[in-house]
Amino acid sequence: FHLAVGICQEQLPPEHVHTARAYGSLGNICKDAGKLAEAEDFYQRALAMRRRFYGPNHPDVARTLGNLGLVYTVGGRLKEAKDMQRLALSARIATYGMWHHEVARSMHSLAQVLKSEGKLALAEKEFRRALRIRAVVFRGPFMELVWSHRDIGDLMFEQGKYGSAVDFYRR
C-alpha cells in the first residue's frame, strides 16, 4: 500500500482527481483485506479531496461515504456507519433524484446498519423502500432485486414471521 501511495505522491499533484481515486481504490483493497484502520484513513483522504473538488453532492463523494459506512459497520461503529450511510443517501438523492439504483443501494446499506443496531422495523422500512425503487428501475431478474428479497426474507425470519420470509425467499 505504501508503495502505491508513494507512486501517487510522486507522479500526481497532491490535490488531483486521480490521487483521490487512488486513495479510494486503496481504501477498497484495505477494506477487502480486513485492514479497517488503513481503509478508513484512505477513504477519509479521498473524501476530503472529493468534497473540495466536487462539493457534498457528487457520486464520488456518495460512494466514498458509503464505503466509510461499510468500514464502520464491519468495525462495529454503528452510529458512525449510520451517519455515513445517511449522508451517502442524501448525496445520491440530491444527485440522481429518488428513482435511481444508486439511491436504492444507499437505502439498502442504511437498512443493513439499522438491522445491525436491532432496529428491525426501521430496517424493514428501508429495505422495502430500496426494493420498490429496484423493482421500478430493474425490469427483469437483476441481482440487486434478489438481494432485496433475500434481506427482507432474512429480516422476516429473524422476527419469527416465517410465512412472510418464505414469500420473499421465493420471489
Side-chain angles (χ1 to χ4, degrees):
F1 304 123
H2 299 291
L3 176 63
V5 171
I7 291 170
C8 284
Q9 291 170 340
E10 238 177 66
Q11 301 294 319
L12 298 169
E15 289 292 314
H16 193 277
V17 173
H18 294 305
T19 304
R21 182 181 301 151
Y23 285 146
S25 295
L26 289 167
N28 291 339
I29 291 167
C30 290
K31 175 179 54 96
D32 292 345
K35 298 180 178 193
L36 301 182
E38 289 173 300
E40 179 183 4
D41 180 57
F42 284 126
Y43 286 143
Q44 288 287 3
R45 290 185 200 188
L47 180 61
M49 294 174 80
R50 287 172 169 164
R51 281 179 165 160
R52 281 194 298 277
F53 299 150
Y54 306 126
N57 297 323
H58 185 275
D60 289 347
V61 172
R63 184 179 318 106
T64 307
L65 289 164
N67 285 334
L68 265 171
L70 292 173
V71 166
Y72 293 150
T73 300
V74 171
R77 296 163 59 185
L78 299 180
K79 185 195 179 315
E80 292 166 283
K82 185 168 52 178
D83 291 344
M84 291 298 112
Q85 296 302 353
R86 284 185 171 150
L87 287 170
L89 176 58
S90 294
R92 285 181 167 144
I93 290 171
T95 300
Y96 300 117
M98 185 62 77
W99 296 95
H100 193 276
H101 67 94
E102 291 292 338
V103 171
R105 179 172 293 168
S106 282
M107 288 174 179
H108 195 96
S109 294
L110 177 58
Q112 289 173 322
V113 175
L114 293 167
K115 181 181 173 190
S116 294
E117 287 183 319
K119 298 178 180 175
L120 302 184
L122 291 173
E124 181 180 347
K125 178 182 171 192
E126 289 301 317
F127 278 135
R128 287 180 184 271
R129 286 176 64 196
L131 175 58
R132 276 194 300 278
I133 291 170
R134 287 171 170 167
V136 169
V137 172
F138 299 118
R139 301 192 191 283
F142 282 88
M143 284 309 299
E144 292 198 23
L145 281 170
V146 172
W147 298 331
S148 286
H149 285 110
R150 178 205 59 210
D151 287 346
I152 294 172
D154 289 349
L155 192 66
M156 296 291 108
F157 186 85
E158 287 177 26
Q159 296 177 76
K161 300 175 182 175
Y162 303 116
S164 294
V166 169
D167 289 343
F168 277 99
Y169 290 144
R170 286 186 176 155
R171 294 181 190 180

